[in-house]
Amino acid sequence: MKVYEYQGFPNPARIRITLAELGMTDEVEFITIDVPKGEHKQPDFVKKNPFPAVPVLELDDGTTLAECTAITEYLDHLGDGPTALTGKTAKQRAITHMMQRRAESALLDAVAAYFHHATPGLGPNVEEFQSKEWGMHQRDKAVKGMAYFDGVLKSQPFIAGDEFSMADITAITGLNFADAVGIDTPEDCTNLLAWRKKVSERPSVAG
Ligand SMILES: N[C@@H](CCC(=O)N[C@@H](CS)C(=O)NCC(=O)O)C(=O)O
């Protein structure tokens, strides 16, 4: 299997964490796509992902999978059955997907929209349209998202319940991205900050 990525970028980081959690990092070949130079928009890559973005997982039969949740589902089903990363029971799978989507929408994607719209983002090779107002609105959304997850973590150890899951991966990646673009986690989000410290110490996240 091959993973097309740009190391250090948030969405590829999600898959690196997933692979490490599953003990599968050595089973894939990582191929760099130079996103800041716009390589992901070149025809050869667009054939792999028509919605040009990394990461993409290419299977040995040539099938290409985009979207971190789809890639995570695939990887998590390669062993004896899904783990807590995607949820072992019907109920836990549903909760994990629900919370993952909330983390994506309220944290990671909101921070990304701030970065792409209210800052120079990835520069002129990549940014085709920018709206500072939209970016600032998304920044506010991210800060509200932090408060939401702080409340969630008041009564449970992880974002989707008792175990570390892909919802935590999305959320920690969103917070790390927020730091990188200067959106601080409010100091009164004590549950979120404690969770962040704990999750950042996991070998898969610490790197
Ligand atoms: N929803 C996608 C998001 C992928 C994504 O936005 N990746 C970023 C890198 S972190 C990218 O390639 N951006 C290219 C661009 O903005 O043109 C996923 O889950 O994989």
Side-chain angles (χ1 to χ4, degrees):
M1 293 186 289
K2 293 175 182 161
V3 173
Y4 296 87
E5 60 148 24
Y6 191 79
Q7 200 175 355
F9 273 21
N11 287 289
R14 291 164 74 184
I15 295 309
R16 282 197 175 248
I17 295 170
T18 301
L19 286 164
E21 285 286 334
L22 294 169
M24 291 179 64
T25 305
D26 292 342
E27 292 178 36
V28 306
E29 178 188 354
F30 293 98
I31 296 174
T32 298
I33 298 296
D34 196 336
V35 174
K37 280 200 177 142
E39 195 183 346
H40 60 304
K41 296 191 176 186
Q42 297 304 312
D44 279 355
F45 190 76
V46 172
K47 272 189 221 146
K48 297 184 191 299
N49 184 4
F51 293 80
V54 291
V56 165
L57 177 71
E58 188 170 79
L59 310 187
D60 294 340
D61 70 1
T63 303
T64 48
L65 297 175
E67 300 300 330
C68 288
T69 44
I71 295 169
T72 302
E73 280 287 351
Y74 178 78
L75 294 172
D76 198 32
H77 279 78
L78 289 180
D80 293 337
T83 71
L85 273 191
T86 58
K88 294 178 211 164
T89 65
K91 182 177 165 189
Q92 201 52 45
R93 291 183 67 73
I95 292 171
T96 302
H97 271 277
M98 176 178 75
M99 297 308 284
Q100 187 293 135
R101 182 59 195 135
R102 287 180 185 169
E104 207 168 50
S105 170
L107 285 178
L108 182 55
D109 287 357
V111 174
Y114 166 75
F115 171 68
H116 287 295
H117 286 277
T119 80
L122 291 175
N125 288 328
V126 176
E127 307 297 353
E128 289 167 8
F129 168 79
Q130 292 193 295
S131 161
K132 184 149 193 179
E133 192 183 356
W134 174 245
M136 293 312 288
H137 176 70
Q138 292 296 307
R139 185 188 198 287
D140 293 345
K141 181 176 176 180
V143 175
K144 281 185 195 144
M146 291 171 188
Y148 166 73
F149 285 109
D150 184 61
V152 167
L153 291 162
K154 197 181 285 183
S155 55
Q156 59 191 50
F158 293 103
I159 300 279
D162 290 334
E163 291 186 79
F164 181 85
S165 77
M166 68 172 169
D168 296 282
I169 296 177
T170 305
I172 192 69
T173 307
L175 287 191
N176 289 343
F177 193 9
D179 267 5
V181 298
I183 307 176
D184 294 333
T185 305
E187 278 177 23
D188 62 356
C189 287
T190 51
N191 305 301
L192 184 62
L193 288 166
W195 164 89
R196 182 179 189 179
K197 186 171 180 304
K198 174 179 69 182
V199 166
S200 297
E201 285 165 0
R202 292 176 83 87
S204 64
V205 178

